[in-house]
Amino acid sequence: MSHCSQCGRYIGPYEACPYCGARVNGRVSVRAVKRAAVVLAIAGLFVLWLTATHSPLPQIPIGQIGATANMAYARVEGWVVRGPHYYPDSGYLSFTVADETGEIRVTAYRKESDALRAEERVPALGDRVSVAGTVQVREGGMALTINVPEHVEVIRPEPTERTLGSLTPSDRLLRVRVRGQVWTVRQPHTGLTLITLRDPTGALDVVVDRDLEALTGGLVPPAPGESVEVVGTVDLYQSTPQIVPLSVLDIIPLPEPVEVASLFPIGELRSDDAGQMVAVEGEVAQVEGFSSGVKLTLEDGTGEVTVLLWQDLVQGLGDPAALAVGARLRVVGELALYRGMLEVVPGRPMDVEVLARAAGVGEDAPQMTIGELEADRAGEVVTVEGAVIDIESFAGGFRFALEDGTGQVALVLPLAVYDGLADPAVLNLGSWVRATGQVGVYQDQLQVVPASGDAVEVLAPGEVVASWREIGSLSPTDEGARVAVKGAVVRVESFSSGRRVWLEDGTGRVMLLLWENVYRRIAQRERLVPGAWMEACGVVQVYRGELEVVPQLPHDVRMVRP
């Protein structure tokens, strides 16, 4: 009402008539309206907050996310199909989620990734996840950024018990529990460790990469021959199954060994079994050397089979002298068929176990002149003497050419044998050596392989014969010559098999090639850094047009003062 009910005049918003003083009934005060407006606003905000916090986030099929969803806050559900990848320096975490319609990369930054790690809710390969965050659509693909760690839900399937050989590409993303024996441990490159497990059904790699170690701690690799249990998710490398554990702690040592092969009577081995791992026991009936190793004939009363020992395996045996006629062995290896004949081929020295040595092996080995040695004596243990006339380094040890006037033979010292010498420094060119070892044949060359350092005696020390040269005077015409150089280290570079060291003396620069077996045994090698001075004796080689000096023995390299 805007007019006075008594005098009829216009009074506007007044509650009492300014003309006659009469009060106007039924008018709502402005103050009341203001108060009501504030109350309604607060109530509306409360209802909006309840709706925002208690209403479920919209779940979007990944394949339906398009440009219109850019910067939307949405939820996706699916399986983790790649990752997680984690960078400790920045705290950046990412993994890929896929559903039936597509896949999307999910990312989290320092604050959110730290919270997920602290709460042990980082999704792993094969997990079922529900993730909410901000959607970003770019030309390179879609991404979802986690803003609230609580909006990440992880459902981890229980592992299924499986054997290694039963896993196939169709098992990808299946969470499994397997048990096996560590066959090999290798690092194809920095940040990747592959642990090959084997059980009676087959072999498979367990993958531990840089991201897994960054998230769960450093790996202490199990040793070959150790038995372990692994819980992880099946992934594929190309089309080959492999297992990715959730944590390095999911590689658990077992107290009981896992056998990788069943013990077979030799007479029951069949051609149809070729390709399988088998274990056999028997007595050595024959030893035959060939260009790449040694062949043993093993018999157990039910039959006989050839055991093929490649040269690197023979050199890695702790007691190769025990591989003689009459020795009783247990051999684990792959059954192969070669030209219609069955062979057992062990892959590691530990797969050849000496159950009983042959009578008299290693005791009173006959001393022979080198000229009396012949290929048909392969497997016998003999004692020879001679002067060292040449030295060659190889990955598994050192090879010394001995000559006694009647002939030449290679004295092969595996690294374990060389390290067991009383004084390795006195074994050099010109040394007169007496050695007891097993006769073998490698690349049509006779060799003697001692079983331990005690079986090698240096009767007269030798001395390196090498001419001192200025580096700048070296040329390709010196290839094959043994020279000695001295200079300052200007660069050190690691490679897969050792170290490359560049040396400079003011007249020129040359690269020293230090194979790993040499480098690891150099005295004071921790001083081998740029700026240090060193002397080196080695054989000149030309590789891809560049000169190299290659030391053959650890004591061919010395750290000196300028």
Side-chain angles (χ1 to χ4, degrees), residues 473-492:
S473 71
L474 298 177
S475 70
T477 59
D478 294 310
E479 186 173 12
R482 191 178 298 271
V483 300
V485 293
K486 177 180 179 180
V489 177
V490 294
R491 182 181 169 195
V492 179

Side-chain angles (χ1 to χ4, degrees), residues 66-85:
T68 56
N70 191 35
M71 302 308 295
Y73 198 85
R75 179 169 60 91
V76 298
E77 289 187 2
W79 298 93
V80 178
V81 295
R82 281 191 296 278
H85 303 296

Side-chain angles (χ1 to χ4, degrees), residues 425-437:
V426 300
L427 180 55
N428 215 318
L429 286 172
S431 298
W432 188 265
V433 179
R434 177 189 292 136
T436 300

Side-chain angles (χ1 to χ4, degrees), residues 487-511:
V489 177
V490 294
R491 182 181 169 195
V492 179
E493 178 184 284
S494 299
F495 70 106
S496 60
S497 301
R499 300 290 189 280
R500 298 184 181 96
V501 180
W502 279 263
L503 209 62
E504 192 174 79
D505 68 352
T507 68
R509 178 181 294 188
V510 72
M511 191 263 282

Side-chain angles (χ1 to χ4, degrees), residues 451-474:
S452 67
D454 296 338
V456 181
E457 183 181 1
V458 179
L459 303 178
E463 184 178 355
V464 176
V465 179
S467 59
W468 283 96
R469 298 282 295 275
E470 291 184 338
I471 293 175
S473 71
L474 298 177

Side-chain angles (χ1 to χ4, degrees), residues 471 485-492 501-505 512 522-536 557-562:
I471 293 175
V485 293
K486 177 180 179 180
V489 177
V490 294
R491 182 181 169 195
V492 179
V501 180
W502 279 263
L503 209 62
E504 192 174 79
D505 68 352
L512 299 183
I522 294 175
Q524 298 180 317
R525 70 173 182 276
E526 68 278 358
R527 291 175 49 195
L528 208 164
V529 295
W533 278 70
M534 62 186 297
E535 295 176 352
V557 180
R558 291 194 306 151
M559 308 307 299
V560 298
R561 296 188 180 277

Side-chain angles (χ1 to χ4, degrees), residues 39-126:
V39 171
L40 287 174
I42 293 173
L45 289 173
F46 180 71
V47 171
L48 183 62
W49 177 81
L50 283 176
T51 303
T53 57
H54 290 77
S55 297
L57 290 169
Q59 179 185 338
I60 303 178
I62 296 173
Q64 294 182 13
I65 297 176
T68 56
N70 191 35
M71 302 308 295
Y73 198 85
R75 179 169 60 91
V76 298
E77 289 187 2
W79 298 93
V80 178
V81 295
R82 281 191 296 278
H85 303 296
Y86 179 66
Y87 299 87
D89 293 340
S90 63
Y92 177 80
L93 174 71
S94 70
F95 53 92
T96 301
V97 177
D99 63 10
E100 293 78 7
T101 65
E103 62 181 44
I104 188 170
R105 182 169 56 89
V106 180
T107 62
Y109 294 91
R110 173 73 70 183
K111 181 180 177 181
E112 292 74 23
S113 66
D114 285 350
L116 291 174
R117 292 185 64 212
E119 298 168 10
E120 298 183 350
R121 287 194 296 115
V122 176
L125 183 71

Side-chain angles (χ1 to χ4, degrees), residues 55 82 86 111 143 202 224 237 294 388 398 447 506 533 548:
S55 297
R82 281 191 296 278
Y86 179 66
K111 181 180 177 181
Y237 175 70
V294 176
V388 177
F398 304 94
Q447 59 184 23
W533 278 70
E548 300 176 344

